[in-house]
Amino acid sequence: MYPCERRSELLDKLTIGISAYNNWPGLKLTLQKLVEVGLGDVKMVIVDDGSKKPIDFDLSEFPMDIVFKRYEESRGCVFQRNNIGSMVETDYYLSIDDDAYPVNGDICDVIESMEKDLDISVMALDVRGPKDSFELHVDAYELREVRYFVLCGCLIRTDHFKKSGGFQNPDELGWIYNEELDYSIRCWRDGHKIVLDRRFVLVHDRELVDGEDSYKSNCYARGLGYLHGRYFTGAVSLYKFLKMPFMLALSCRTRPFWLSSLGAFIKSYRVGVEHRTRDSRIFRGKDLWKWDRLDLPPFA
């Protein structure tokens, strides 16, 4: 445990950001868990993205410094995460979902590692399911560079975030988009790093809903289609493009899912190619191979 003065100094550099939507029991549990692990004094920004019912508990129940903002109509998670990022005035922004909460470790360890390496843009954290063990991983103290992160549990360097323009949300793709992967690619292109730190463990307690397989496969296909069209070119990108139908066929359980996902991939790839002309800083084949060799985070 850090001395009180050092811990207070590190936590003063942190803001927790949560985009909430139709999950007030989950948000209440998350706030309870944050207090239990000693993060009750940390600044917090919560945005209600047009939930069908207003918040059903009193935030003043929690002894926390909370800024709460409600939108009457949903603008989507990408918009709201950028909205939260624009309101953060501290050095670091801990992004969690309204159904994700810490169960082990000390976020101060993660902050201190980012303080020592200014090239780290995002620390991907150890995100697990509710039925997993909460013990620290055997390699928890071995930090390593990874391809991307997930916004349900990560620590973002705020100045990098604001200079980069935040998360991209191409209008043509709607709200279903892999903004984390896009941000990771841009960070890597600009000489920054995404690093996995498993010393802080969170649980993402997400309930399954009908049609989730279709939703997830379409989201996956749409995001990768745009990213490969937007950032990559050359023979390697063509190889990835031709390989995608087979990857989607393996990941989709039924033929309709596969056809829908393939259509989403092709449409988004075309949008990405159109957007590529706006920026000459694209990856060549050799760059894609380098990026592909980075480790996948454990929650992939």
Side-chain angles (χ1 to χ4, degrees), residues 49-83:
D49 184 35
S51 296
K52 295 178 181 178
K53 294 182 180 179
I55 187 169
D56 59 5
F57 64 91
D58 189 351
L59 286 172
S60 64
E61 296 175 22
F62 298 93
M64 310 173 83
D65 180 7
I66 298 176
V67 174
F68 181 82
K69 186 174 182 179
R70 172 173 167 78
Y71 281 74
E72 294 302 323
E73 295 184 3
S74 176
R75 301 292 300 274
C77 60
V78 178
F79 175 89
Q80 297 300 4
R81 284 163 172 163
N82 281 333
N83 187 20

Side-chain angles (χ1 to χ4, degrees), residues 185-201:
I185 290 175
R186 286 187 286 121
C187 285
W188 190 77
R189 181 187 66 178
D190 294 337
H192 301 310
K193 296 184 288 189
I194 311 298
V195 173
L196 174 65
D197 191 332
R198 306 190 75 167
R199 293 173 296 173
F200 191 65
V201 182

Side-chain angles (χ1 to χ4, degrees), residues 242-261:
L242 296 175
K243 180 181 176 182
M244 186 55 61
F246 301 100
M247 294 175 62
L248 292 175
L250 291 173
S251 66
C252 298
R253 296 182 181 179
T254 66
R255 186 179 180 86
F257 283 2
W258 176 74
L259 292 174
S260 174
S261 296

Side-chain angles (χ1 to χ4, degrees), residues 22-38:
N22 288 339
N23 188 13
W24 302 127
L27 178 63
K28 188 172 185 178
L29 176 61
T30 293
L31 296 179
Q32 290 170 345
K33 294 291 186 180
L34 288 169
V35 172
E36 288 175 10
V37 299

